[in-house]
Amino acid sequence: MTQNQNLAELSAAGVSVWLDDLSRDLIASGDLADLIATKSVVGVTTNPSIFQAALSKGNSYDAQVNELAARGADVDATIRTVTTDDVRNACDVLAPVFEESNGVDGRVSIEVDPRLAHDTDGTVAQAIELWKIVDRPNLLIKIPATKAGLPAITKVLAEGISVNVTLIFSVERYKEVMDAYLDGLDAAALAGHDLSTIHSVASFFVSRVDTEVDKRLDAIGTPEALELRGKAALANARLAYQAYQEIFEVESRFPDLLAQGARPQRALWASTGVKNPDYPDTLYVSELVAPNTVNTMPGKTMDAFADHGWVNTGSIVGLGQESQAVFDAIAALGVDFADVFEVLESEGVSKFEDAWNDLLTATAEQLAAAKG
């Protein structure tokens, strides 16, 4: 099979292509393997919304849910079993990529229960549990970058567990995430773990920033405000990459860990599906190209980029000053970015909780039906 040229060029520019989707059908049909062979896919991310969609469609999970019901499994145990089975199987499909990339890619992510987003100890306990259940070296445990999540990130890394930090919206919080990562590596080294086996990505959400900021710019309504629509998310991501470069390429703390085998915590561009139909449907892929990054795309965005996307290698590096000017102009119009990011984090946690609760309800109904 031949790789799609557009996605191959994106990969060659240093952007790892990950799919933001997973289902049992995707694995069993061979479609995931085909995406690896034809669309440069080298990783998979999941979240509660993805699992809720997968388990609520079709009948791929019916036999296993019926079997679990017969064994007396409760709702939480059922969801844990079916989701970790899918993730484990996806890890196996991606195992060759994991080996060929020396552990950098070939990764599959699974998120801790979103109801634990503000519970540090609960997050740590479940992260360790999921790591043991899936039992694959190419797993990433997703932990939200809430205030309670930050110490959990450090503690989980200290156990030698690889982490995908999710729901990052602001550069300020991203800097705290990178500090938590370095603290975790320090603790892991003291505990005797091989740092070369510990990997992490920091999932910086993109399109939701434009959605929230554009809404506020529309409310202001001046020509100056309307002209700035669609610019906040890219500026925010570019400033995040500048922060990444400062921590991992300039400042003095990381080289000591690097000498012990540690890897940089790569920036991952998440929420890259375009929500405003007025914007190009590949905007958050073509305009976020930089070395040592990941772009996790929903299937629709990946297909669009494969069809007509282009790789703008000048879209991030060196644009920090210009991006800060965009932020300053928007703030000068009265947009409170601190409030924007607080709203986005709160909504992000709530959306995942809602999806998880929907999944709990649907699974409970299916278990009840199976038990007669």
Side-chain angles (χ1 to χ4, degrees):
M1 294 185 181
T2 303
Q3 292 286 3
N4 173 270
Q5 182 178 350
N6 293 343
L7 289 161
E9 288 180 3
L10 185 66
S11 297
V15 181
S16 291
V17 177
W18 290 9
L19 174 69
D20 191 30
D21 194 17
L22 185 64
S23 68
R24 190 154 295 180
D25 285 342
L26 186 71
I27 299 168
S29 65
D31 287 348
L32 177 57
D34 287 345
L35 289 171
I36 296 168
T38 65
K39 289 189 175 176
S40 299
V41 169
V42 292
V44 169
T45 52
T46 68
N47 60 46
S49 298
I50 286 171
F51 281 134
Q52 189 275 333
L55 271 73
S56 64
K57 295 177 182 176
N59 55 9
S60 298
Y61 298 90
D62 289 355
Q64 185 176 25
V65 172
N66 290 342
E67 178 187 345
L68 290 165
R71 286 158 43 187
D74 64 14
V75 175
D76 286 323
T78 299
I79 292 173
R80 183 167 57 249
T81 299
V82 297
T83 57
T84 54
D85 280 0
D86 278 2
V87 168
R88 184 185 305 107
N89 291 333
C91 283
D92 290 343
V93 174
L94 281 153
V97 176
F98 176 73
E99 296 294 335
E100 291 165 9
S101 66
N102 194 25
V104 173
D105 285 309
R107 298 277 173 173
V108 183
S109 298
I110 187 170
E111 190 155 348
V112 297
D113 187 329
R115 295 171 297 179
L116 299 173
H118 304 294
D119 180 349
T120 300
D121 292 339
T123 294
V124 173
Q126 190 174 93
I128 294 171
E129 179 187 34
L130 290 171
W131 182 259
K132 290 178 179 177
I133 292 172
V134 175
D135 192 26
R136 293 295 185 271
N138 50 333
L139 179 68
L140 290 171
I141 303 296
K142 290 182 78 172
I143 298 175
T146 57
K147 281 296 186 181
L150 293 172
I153 292 161
T154 296
K155 292 178 180 180
V156 171
L157 288 163
E159 296 290 331
I161 296 172
S162 297
V163 174
N164 175 345
V165 184
T166 189
L167 287 178
I168 307 172
F169 295 99
S170 72
V171 175
E172 290 73 18
R173 182 58 56 85
Y174 179 41
K175 291 177 179 178
E176 292 180 300
V177 166
M178 289 188 285
D179 284 341
Y181 173 63
L182 296 176
D183 289 344
L185 291 181
D186 284 336
L190 286 173
H193 292 291
D194 179 358
L195 298 190
S196 68
T197 66
I198 303 172
H199 285 246
S200 183
V201 293
S203 295
F204 202 85
F205 279 50
V206 185
S207 66
R208 295 186 194 183
V209 174
D210 270 343
T211 299
E212 181 64 25
V213 172
D214 285 1
K215 180 174 66 177
R216 300 183 186 214
L217 291 172
D218 284 335
I220 294 169
T222 64
E224 294 81 5
L226 300 181
E227 181 65 25
L228 288 166
R229 289 177 300 181
K231 296 183 178 181
L234 291 176
N236 198 38
R238 289 162 180 160
L239 289 170
Y241 189 76
Q242 179 177 266
Y244 160 85
Q245 289 182 298
E246 289 171 357
I247 294 296
F248 293 107
E249 298 175 7
V250 178
E251 292 188 3
S252 60
R253 184 178 179 187
F254 183 65
D256 288 341
L257 291 164
L258 182 65
Q260 299 176 63
R263 316 291 184 96
Q265 182 188 49
R266 290 187 295 170
L268 179 151
W269 311 125
S271 183
T272 55
V274 174
K275 294 176 174 58
N276 188 330
D278 294 334
Y279 300 157
D281 55 4
T282 64
L283 178 67
Y284 304 123
V285 182
S286 290
E287 298 299 325
L288 290 175
V289 179
N292 299 317
T293 58
V294 179
N295 196 305
T296 183
M297 311 173 205
K300 183 178 179 181
T301 301
M302 187 176 293
D303 290 343
F305 192 85
D307 180 66
H308 54 266
W310 70 290
V311 178
N312 182 3
T313 55
S315 58
I316 292 185
V317 179
L319 296 181
Q321 185 173 354
E322 176 183 316
S323 298
Q324 187 60 54
V326 169
F327 255 51
D328 292 343
I330 294 173
L333 292 171
V335 174
D336 182 349
F337 276 106
D339 184 67
V340 166
F341 297 136
E342 183 177 343
V343 166
L344 288 172
E345 180 180 299
S346 178
E347 287 183 350
V349 171
S350 294
K351 287 177 181 178
F352 284 165
E353 285 181 345
D354 289 345
W356 198 256
N357 287 329
D358 289 344
L359 178 58
L360 289 169
T361 299
T363 304
E365 292 173 352
Q366 194 169 356
L367 284 172
K371 293 174 182 177

